Amino acid sequence: MPGKNEPLTESYFYILLCLYHGPLHGYGIMQKTAELSQRYVKIGSGTMYGATDNMMKKGWIHETFSDHPEDKRKRLYELTDSGREALKQEIKRLKYLVKISNEVIGEEN
């Protein structure tokens, strides 16, 4: 299998994916996760802030602040280069799993 990174949890995956195009605050990440997953995945605030804390410790995201005066007090989270790489590696791993699954059982759409 390509790469040796540990698989990301579903919450980590969606949080990193939500931050791919720019910074978001926690509530925005929770909303975007629900939207991207067609409401299949819902990240609660406890999970959200525990995950963001752990990902900051890993260096995958960091806190930043908005330039907009009305949003000055909101914490925004931003993807780092290593977070972007972790997301890309996970996508590569997932594609590989789908590929070998299709080889074994055949593609079913």
Side-chain angles (χ1 to χ4, degrees):
M1 180 167 69
K4 294 189 178 197
N5 294 347
E6 276 189 48
L8 298 181
T9 66
E10 196 169 50
S11 297
Y12 281 30
F13 178 79
Y14 274 103
I15 292 168
L16 294 176
L17 191 61
C18 288
L19 297 175
Y20 190 81
H21 290 295
L24 280 174
H25 52 79
Y27 184 68
I29 293 170
M30 290 186 276
Q31 288 180 312
K32 188 149 182 89
T33 294
E35 176 189 320
L36 289 173
S37 70
Q38 298 178 343
R39 308 258 180 263
Y40 177 71
V41 177
K42 293 178 184 162
I43 297 175
S45 58
T47 299
M48 171 70 207
Y49 294 106
T52 54
D53 187 50
N54 287 335
M55 287 190 284
M56 282 191 288
K57 289 175 185 171
K58 291 177 179 282
W60 293 351
I61 63 174
H62 65 92
E63 281 187 12
T64 187
F65 296 92
S66 176
D67 294 333
H68 300 279
E70 66 275 3
D71 291 336
K72 278 267 190 223
R73 294 182 1 189
K74 288 183 183 175
R75 283 190 299 185
L76 298 175
Y77 299 98
E78 187 170 40
L79 199 57
T80 64
D81 288 341
S82 69
R84 190 173 300 275
E85 184 59 30
L87 178 61
K88 287 180 180 180
Q89 288 300 314
E90 179 66 358
I91 291 168
K92 187 176 181 178
R93 186 187 75 80
L94 293 171
K95 285 180 178 179
Y96 179 77
L97 290 177
V98 170
K99 177 186 175 289
I100 63 171
S101 298
N102 287 336
E103 289 171 4
V104 171
I105 65 171
E107 189 170 348
E108 296 177 10
N109 288 331

